[in-house]
Amino acid sequence: MQFIPMETFACKGASQAPFSYLSKALFHPPIQEFVDQCKFLCKRLHPLTSREATLNGWQSTRTRRVTLAAMLSVATVLIAPQVGHADNGQDLAKAPPEQVGMSTQRLARISAIFKRDVDQGKLPGAVMMVARKGKLVFAEAVGFQDKNAARPMSLNSIFRVYSMSKSLTSVAAMTLVEDGTIQLADPISKYLPAFKRMVVSVPKIDPALVRLTYTMVPAEREITIQDLLRHTAGLAYGELTTNTPVRDAYVKAGFVAQSGPDFDIRGMTADEQVERLSKAPLATQPGAMWEYSIAVDVLGRVLEAATGKRLSEVLDERLFKPLKMADTSFWVPKNKIDQLAQPLPVDPITGLPNILFDMSTPPKNDSGGAGIASTATDYLRFAQMLLNKGQLDGMRLLSPTTVRLMTADHLGTRIDDMVAPVTALLGTPGYTFGLGFAVRRSDGIVGEPGSSGEFLWTSFAGSFFWIDPKEQIAAVYMTQSPGPLRGHYRRLFKQLVYQAVVD
């Protein structure tokens, strides 16, 4: 940032109202927002009762200097570009935390605690952003983007977001619902005929042999698009399922890595993926049970069949370009690869090597369930759009009614949850599942702050976002730390954000 000496303002425009003059001097849009924030801070810091402290009569030299000093303090925060952060208009509008009912002092605890743990070798680094009432009030990069290379984390660092890809793909699917291309009740065989007649691997205890056996039975109904969105399709993850025939079939089909990173199914084409997966048995009857699964990857194949376009094109057209998510994609091009964050070589708890996706080359298929890379800035724009009930910066992507549908309870009491949504990921019960997000059932039960109706999802590599409509909060935590401490840091970031709410 270029420093503008106080003398510049003292000798010029002395008869002008300070806010109109400083706006012209700094020439940084949006001017009105900057002016409003300067007014707010000056009123908070200098509640002078004399007439010369008002905007229309600021003749006192002392008042002018105090006011300008306060304004320049705000300018330093609002206008100075972050290290390595492109000034491309993608950031949300910024505001002092106190303007939206949060405490600067309390938000500072986030930085201090996470920097401490980086110094202790527990985390490689992280980028954390918090918005309230539509204003960005906290943006911090701590630690290392690549510790081995001694490269510091920056606000434009790119992260493999793994399962946070699911929420992006789910929103893209709902834009197709809105324009009539697909319906939630559609059987997926309408678009992927190979899934027309599925079988289910049903576990049964053999009393004679005192062991668990499995029987193959026909699916009672077809998988629907709604099933894919809420994880009730009967599909599974080979790395997670306890259904032995399902796991064996997934291993044989190449859905469980024998070497390399877990959950990486990008080495087969989209057609190969559909053909192989359709031959594997389902783990449960469609619509009968919530089980975290590869379902959103299949949803990506549905979107491709419905539009005749590759999933990356669908998301570019319907999400990334409208939301100006310039650093979000299914692979990281050569000119941005130096922005890609890396994990610690070895997990500090398990001692095992951390192996994450190679994002440097285009994948054979676009993994809608785990294959996207993004920045905290980009993802916060996505989250804020949802908090705004489907629109951002005058661009509407979804109807408020669609956002309400996506964040409703789609499990109820009829659908069992073998592993309750989020319990295994955050270590706390109290959530149900909507269409692409876990949804909090009530203010209580969950062992962390938040509100009923908040919705969220997480990432295998540790990242996390949530949206709280009641408190008007959208927050993003980005890291590349896939070990057992990831749940701890998600909860920690969340509780530190809520303790900073003061109004």
Side-chain angles (χ1 to χ4, degrees):
M1 176 185 180
Q2 182 181 359
F3 177 71
I4 304 175
M6 181 63 71
E7 289 74 17
T8 304
F9 302 106
C11 64
K12 295 182 180 179
S15 62
Q16 300 179 35
F19 302 104
S20 61
Y21 173 69
L22 186 59
S23 297
K24 294 175 184 177
L26 293 175
F27 192 63
H28 184 88
I31 295 301
Q32 187 57 50
E33 176 201 342
F34 170 71
V35 170
D36 291 344
Q37 291 168 350
C38 288
K39 291 177 182 178
F40 171 81
L41 186 59
C42 290
K43 289 178 181 178
R44 291 294 298 267
L45 294 177
H46 308 288
L48 301 178
T49 56
S50 62
R51 186 171 179 273
E52 61 214 17
T54 66
L55 292 178
N56 295 324
W58 69 302
Q59 292 81 11
S60 163
T61 300
R62 176 181 178 275
T63 302
R64 290 199 300 269
R65 287 182 177 174
V66 168
T67 303
L68 285 169
M71 293 163 65
L72 286 174
S73 297
V74 177
T76 301
V77 175
L78 298 180
I79 297 174
Q82 295 287 344
V83 176
H85 198 48
D87 186 17
N88 53 16
Q90 295 180 357
D91 288 342
L92 296 181
K94 303 175 182 68
E98 285 73 16
Q99 184 175 318
V100 293
M102 299 191 77
S103 164
T104 299
Q105 182 180 13
R106 285 175 168 264
L107 284 169
R109 294 174 183 173
I110 300 173
S111 306
I113 290 173
F114 277 85
K115 286 177 181 176
R116 177 201 66 195
D117 284 16
V118 166
D119 291 343
Q120 293 175 356
K122 297 178 181 178
L123 275 175
V127 175
M128 297 160 284
M129 293 188 176
V130 181
R132 194 174 194 217
K133 300 180 181 179
K135 304 294 185 181
L136 180 63
V137 296
F138 182 83
E140 183 80 7
V142 301
F144 296 94
Q145 178 184 289
D146 186 339
K147 190 170 184 178
N148 274 359
R151 183 175 295 134
M153 191 70 79
S154 69
L155 294 184
N156 69 343
S157 293
I158 296 173
F159 299 83
R160 305 160 186 84
V161 300
Y162 280 90
S163 287
M164 284 164 56
S165 305
K166 292 177 171 65
S167 300
L168 297 165
T169 304
S170 298
V171 167
M174 296 306 291
T175 67
L176 290 172
V177 171
E178 287 197 340
D179 66 20
T181 302
I182 62 176
Q183 294 185 16
L184 293 177
D186 283 344
I188 66 172
S189 65
K190 179 178 178 179
Y191 309 97
L192 306 174
F195 285 92
K196 178 71 174 175
R197 292 178 179 84
M198 300 295 291
V199 297
V200 181
S201 174
V202 179
K204 182 180 179 181
I205 296 177
D206 186 330
L209 300 176
V210 193
R211 69 176 186 181
L212 194 64
T213 62
Y214 294 86
T215 304
M216 298 297 166
V217 302
E220 295 173 357
R221 68 164 176 81
E222 290 197 49
I223 301 168
T224 67
I225 290 176
Q226 183 186 23
D227 287 324
L228 297 178
L229 284 159
R230 67 184 178 183
H231 292 284
T232 59
L235 297 167
Y237 269 123
E239 293 87 348
L240 303 177
T241 185
T242 58
N243 191 305
T244 302
V246 173
R247 175 178 167 77
D248 291 346
Y250 278 39
V251 170
K252 182 179 179 180
F255 289 97
V256 179
Q258 300 304 298
S259 61
D262 288 336
F263 306 105
D264 193 355
I265 58 172
R266 302 169 303 148
M268 63 186 80
T269 67
D271 288 342
E272 289 171 339
Q273 187 182 87
V274 169
E275 189 268 336
R276 296 179 193 180
L277 189 59
S278 65
K279 292 179 179 178
L282 299 176
T284 60
Q285 288 287 349
M289 182 172 289
W290 187 92
E291 183 169 353
Y292 197 43
S293 73
I294 200 172
V296 183
D297 283 275
V298 177
L299 179 64
R301 306 289 81 86
V302 170
L303 302 191
E304 290 176 334
T307 62
K309 298 177 181 179
R310 187 158 173 160
L311 184 61
S312 56
E313 296 177 72
V314 176
L315 266 65
D316 274 344
E317 293 174 4
R318 292 173 177 266
L319 279 185
F320 303 157
K321 289 181 180 177
L323 288 175
K324 300 178 182 177
M325 298 171 68
D327 291 319
T328 302
S329 63
F330 285 91
W331 64 288
V332 181
K334 186 176 181 180
N335 66 325
K336 294 183 179 181
I337 200 69
D338 286 343
Q339 295 173 235
L340 184 63
Q342 302 298 341
L344 296 173
V346 175
D347 184 81
I349 301 298
T350 66
L352 298 174
N354 285 319
I355 305 173
L356 301 183
F357 287 2
D358 176 7
M359 301 297 294
S360 63
T361 58
K364 288 187 177 180
N365 76 78
D366 298 330
S367 172
I372 294 174
S374 187
T375 63
T377 296
D378 279 4
Y379 213 96
L380 186 64
R381 289 184 63 80
F382 169 71
Q384 187 64 49
M385 177 274 294
L386 292 168
L387 182 56
N388 292 348
K389 300 180 180 179
Q391 67 87 27
L392 184 69
D393 296 341
M395 172 74 70
R396 179 161 293 283
L397 276 73
L398 292 173
S399 164
T401 62
T402 299
V403 176
R404 185 166 67 246
L405 177 65
M406 294 187 74
T407 57
D409 180 359
H410 281 259
L411 301 184
T413 57
R414 185 179 60 84
I415 297 173
D416 293 328
D417 48 358
M418 184 167 57
V419 178
V422 186
T423 298
L425 298 170
L426 289 179
T428 181
Y431 288 87
T432 182
F433 213 81
L435 302 179
F437 316 100
V439 182
R440 186 164 176 155
R441 295 181 188 269
S442 66
D443 288 355
I445 306 300
V446 179
E448 61 192 41
S451 309
S452 62
E454 74 175 37
F455 52 103
L456 55 86
W457 204 235
T458 66
S459 160
F460 168 74
S463 297
F464 170 53
F465 81 98
W466 84 91
I467 298 159
D468 184 337
K470 288 186 178 179
E471 291 291 345
Q472 300 181 64
I473 290 173
V476 175
Y477 165 71
M478 291 285 199
T479 190
Q480 302 284 246
S481 186
L485 285 175
R486 59 190 175 181
H488 164 77
Y489 285 112
R490 291 167 183 151
R491 293 189 298 272
L492 179 62
F493 177 55
K494 194 162 185 265
Q495 73 186 44
L496 289 173
V497 169
Y498 279 98
Q499 63 84 35
V501 174
V502 294
D503 184 14

